[in-house]
Each structure stands twice: as structure tokens, then as C-alpha cells.
Amino acid sequence: MTIKLHCFGESGNAYKAALALELSGLDWEPVYVDFFGGQARSPEYRELNVMGEAPVMEDGDLRLTQSGVIQQYITDKSGKFGGAPQDKYEVLRWVLWDNHKLSSQAGVTRFLMNFLPEEKRPQEVIGFLQGRLKAAYQTLDTHLEGRDWIVGDGMTNADLSCCGYLFYPEPFGFDRKDWTNIDRWLSNIENTPGWKHPYDLMPGNPSDRA
Amino acid sequence: MTIKLHCFGESGNAYKAALALELSGLDWEPVYVDFFGGQARSPEYRELNVMGEAPVMEDGDLRLTQSGVIQQYITDKSGKFGGAPQDKYEVLRWVLWDNHKLSSQAGVTRFLMNFLPEEKRPQEVIGFLQGRLKAAYQTLDTHLEGRDWIVGDGMTNADLSCCGYLFYPEPFGFDRKDWTNIDRWLSNIENTPGWKHPYDLMPGNPSDRA
């Protein structure tokens, strides 16, 4: 049974699940969600996911949403990315921190700065979110000092979660050159065999709408 | 060994952990964090938690942060609030959604509207966050239609997470009377034996600084 992931290239949250699937070796395929065409706000999509969000994963009759849940399922099924048994709380800690402080705010900021018409971009909001994001980059960079991975000695869901928005080319106030430890850690991820950029892993990218 | 929870009354994120501890029957005590006095930004506190956040839980030599992680630990230790085995992904799904869309934004909005000096309150940001929160309340209210609890037949970490900011009296754009299903669900939580309001469960509240 091929796992289906409802996703689109621009979504860093979908990327977190797609990259975990791709690197796990499980059999999967993307199903394109036309987010910018409003598909995620349709009644049919709300039926699929009351949260109105991508990604949604389907494995036979099982349907899961929230990238962190899909990652946990991939770990349960493939045995990968869960970290050492004693690190399970530390992996979950960074997944939750990412959802709370990093990907959530990076996703919104990137949307406001790139996918809204220029005259509709709320500059005070963008500045506010960029300030909060800077504090998040600082936290992650400090934690990565002397470490190759966020938890333990290899890639875990903590890495697959926190990197969600950090490979995208559209500006949102993040420049990896400003953060030595984050930059090195992102290179470790990129150099992992099988790694793919979000726009190479999932259908849909800004040039489709240009 | 008494579990220590570093927390303060105004923090809905700390409340999520404190309420789980209180209702679990585990032996615990709060340790006051003077957040508004800047303690969480001090080097000593950053040593305790690089994320600079409350809550922090200590159980002997084990130290955990992120309310969702502490909740998972309480579930592992007490056997409570994890839901039925087949519901584990659904419980985690709502904990992650709460971190991403509900508590994170409610906490910031309440802070901006109540704990910043009036002349420093960024009105465009507040309006933007309130709009996003309204979508979150709608998602939760829709999900709770016909349900007493977010997942399954009893209280789980999904409930203990999503309610984090919803009992506070300070205005942030949420009025439970506007959301029939959320209102009924919050009453179910309040009517649970042992339930306490955040300001009765943890030290520190706005009147201390009045």
C-alpha cells in the first residue's frame, strides 16, 4: 500500500512530513493540494481535515494530520528518526518548540512577505513576527553549538521538524549565513543521502503561478 | 520524590502542565518563576532551559520542558490522559495543533493586550492575531460539536493543552459565550473533581503587580 501525502511545495509543514517519508524509505506519493486556489478552505477538504491544513497523510484507512503526528507514525512504522529510547522526550520537545515558535511563525511571515499582493502586506505584523523569529533562531543556534544534530548523534524528527521552512528561497528574514551553527546543521541535512529540496520533493512552487 | 514545576500563574503554557500534574494525583509543587521581573531571560534560567520559557519540570535528575512533553511524561508515569491506545495519534494531533494555532497565538495576544503598557500595544499585530485566533476557535468549536471531550470519552492531554489560555479573565478577544461547543467543553473541564483555576493552582497573578 502506497502512503499518500496531501501536500504542496510551498508548505514547510508538508515538507516536514514529505522529507521524513522520503528519507525513511517507506513507499509514498504526493497528492497535490491547490492551497493558493483555495482548496484547503473548501467543504470537501474540511471534511478531510477540520483544521483546514496540509499535510494530510493516508495509509489505507488511516488518516493523520499535523506534521509531528505523521512523523511519529513514520517512526513507529519504519523505526527511523525517533532517536535513542532515552531521548524520546527531547525529540518531542524540539518538535513542539518548532510548532510553537519556529515553523508556525516562519510560515506565516513567509506567506505575508511573498504570497500576498504587495499592497496587502501588513508591515507592523511582519516586523513583529521577524523579531520573535530572531529569538527563535538564536535559541536554535545556541543549542546547536558543538552539535551536529538537535538531539543525539543522528537525524531525528527534531531536525526534520525544525528545518521545515529554512531551505526555502523566498525572503522572510532568515539568512543562514547569519547563524553559524544553524548553517552547519542545515548542511548536514542537505548532505544526507536522499535529501531533496521542498520544490523537488512536492508538486507546486511559486513559478507555477508566475 | 516531589515533582517540581517552575511556573507562574499568568502562563497558560505552565497551566497545561500544572493542571495535568494536579489532576493526575502525582505529588508535585510549584516553584515560582518571576517572568515579568525578567527571570526567564537571565543566564541562570537559560541554563535551566535554553528556550527561555516556562514551564520547566524537574523529577529528581530528570528535567523536561515544553508543556506537551511534560504532559506525555505525566501520562507515562500516572497512566492518565493518554486516551485509548488507538487514539494516541489523535491526542498528539490536537496537542500539536494547540501549540501551533491556539495557545501560542492566544498567549501572545493576551500578553500584548494586558501586560504591555498601553502606549506600546501594537494594534495591527493584535488585530492580525485575533483574526487567526478566531479561525482556531472555529476549528475547535466545529470539532467539539456532539463531543464532550476532544478525543474519545474522557479527558486527555488534548483537552489539557487546548484549554490552556481559555479560563483566564484578561481580555484577548475570546468570549466563551460566543462558542457554544467550546463553552460546554470548558464546563466539563471545570466540573472535573480537583480542577483549579490557573490563579488558584500556581503562584503569581496580575493583582500581585497592581
Side-chain angles (χ1 to χ4, degrees):
Chain A
M1 181 79 71
T2 300
I3 295 171
K4 289 184 199 307
L5 188 74
H6 299 260
C7 62
F8 57 102
E10 292 91 340
S11 168
N13 290 314
Y15 180 58
K16 296 184 223 175
L19 186 59
L21 282 166
E22 182 72 10
L23 296 178
S24 73
L26 294 173
D27 183 30
W28 77 286
E29 63 183 20
V31 179
Y32 179 58
V33 178
D34 182 13
F35 182 83
F36 292 96
Q39 189 187 340
R41 293 189 300 275
S42 70
E44 294 75 18
Y45 196 86
R46 288 273 169 176
E47 193 67 32
L48 189 69
N49 180 9
V50 68
M51 297 169 181
E53 298 169 338
V56 174
M57 190 208 79
E58 293 184 289
D59 190 6
D61 289 339
L62 179 69
R63 184 191 299 164
L64 299 177
T65 88
Q66 290 288 325
S67 61
V69 169
I70 298 170
Q71 289 179 340
Q72 184 59 53
Y73 179 75
I74 294 165
T75 291
D76 292 343
K77 187 156 179 159
S78 72
K80 295 187 178 164
F81 312 132
Q86 70 273 19
D87 287 337
K88 80 165 189 170
Y89 295 119
E90 185 66 4
V91 171
L92 181 60
R93 177 184 180 227
W94 285 97
V95 171
L96 286 161
W97 176 83
D98 170 63
N99 275 255
H100 185 174
K101 290 286 176 75
L102 182 54
S103 285
S104 49
Q105 302 193 104
V108 174
T109 308
R110 172 163 158 275
F111 179 84
L112 297 177
M113 289 177 66
N114 296 278
F115 304 134
L116 274 190
E118 198 153 343
E119 68 279 10
K120 290 197 176 172
R121 296 176 190 167
Q123 294 305 328
E124 183 181 307
V125 174
I126 290 168
F128 177 82
L129 291 170
Q130 286 188 330
R132 287 176 57 87
L133 277 165
K134 194 171 170 187
Y137 306 142
Q138 184 63 67
T139 294
L140 183 58
D141 199 71
T142 300
H143 176 74
L144 285 168
E145 177 72 38
R147 296 177 203 262
D148 290 331
W149 303 98
I150 294 178
V151 181
D153 296 327
M155 182 184 280
T156 69
N157 290 325
D159 306 292
L160 292 166
S161 191
C162 290
C163 78
Y165 280 92
L166 304 184
F167 291 118
Y168 282 100
E170 299 82 18
F172 59 95
F174 173 74
D175 184 341
R176 60 193 272 185
K177 289 187 219 72
D178 295 339
W179 305 97
T180 311
N181 298 313
I182 293 176
D183 182 47
R184 179 175 44 75
W185 162 75
L186 288 175
S187 295
N188 292 339
I189 296 173
E190 287 171 315
N191 291 328
T192 299
W195 177 84
K196 287 185 182 168
H197 187 278
Y199 291 142
D200 296 325
L201 190 58
M202 301 181 292
N205 73 63
S207 66
D208 298 340
R209 299 189 307 280
Chain B
M1 181 78 71
T2 300
I3 294 172
K4 289 184 198 310
L5 188 74
H6 299 261
C7 61
F8 58 101
E10 291 92 341
S11 168
N13 290 314
Y15 180 58
K16 296 183 221 173
L19 186 59
L21 281 165
E22 183 73 10
L23 295 178
S24 73
L26 294 174
D27 183 30
W28 76 285
E29 64 183 19
V31 179
Y32 179 58
V33 178
D34 183 12
F35 181 83
F36 292 97
Q39 189 187 340
R41 293 189 301 274
S42 70
E44 295 76 18
Y45 197 86
R46 287 273 169 177
E47 192 66 32
L48 189 68
N49 180 9
V50 67
M51 297 169 181
E53 299 169 335
V56 174
M57 190 209 79
E58 293 184 290
D59 190 5
D61 290 338
L62 179 70
R63 183 191 300 163
L64 299 177
T65 88
Q66 289 288 325
S67 62
V69 169
I70 298 171
Q71 290 179 339
Q72 184 59 52
Y73 178 75
I74 294 165
T75 291
D76 292 343
K77 186 157 179 158
S78 72
K80 293 187 179 164
F81 312 132
Q86 70 274 17
D87 287 337
K88 80 165 190 172
Y89 294 119
E90 185 67 3
V91 171
L92 180 60
R93 176 183 180 229
W94 285 98
V95 171
L96 285 162
W97 177 82
D98 171 63
N99 274 254
H100 185 173
K101 291 285 177 77
L102 182 55
S103 285
S104 49
Q105 302 193 103
V108 174
T109 308
R110 173 164 157 274
F111 180 85
L112 297 176
M113 289 177 66
N114 296 277
F115 304 135
L116 273 190
E118 197 153 344
E119 69 279 9
K120 290 195 177 174
R121 295 176 190 168
Q123 295 305 328
E124 184 181 306
V125 175
I126 290 168
F128 177 82
L129 291 171
Q130 286 188 331
R132 286 177 56 88
L133 278 164
K134 195 171 171 188
Y137 306 142
Q138 184 63 66
T139 294
L140 182 59
D141 199 72
T142 300
H143 176 74
L144 285 167
E145 177 74 38
R147 296 177 202 262
D148 290 331
W149 303 99
I150 294 177
V151 181
D153 295 328
M155 182 184 282
T156 68
N157 290 326
D159 306 293
L160 291 166
S161 191
C162 290
C163 78
Y165 280 91
L166 304 183
F167 292 118
Y168 283 99
E170 299 83 16
F172 59 94
F174 173 74
D175 185 341
R176 60 193 271 185
K177 289 187 218 73
D178 296 338
W179 305 98
T180 311
N181 298 313
I182 293 176
D183 183 46
R184 179 174 45 74
W185 162 75
L186 288 174
S187 296
N188 291 340
I189 295 173
E190 287 170 317
N191 291 328
T192 298
W195 177 83
K196 287 183 182 168
H197 187 278
Y199 290 142
D200 297 325
L201 190 59
M202 301 181 291
N205 73 64
S207 66
D208 297 340
R209 299 189 307 280

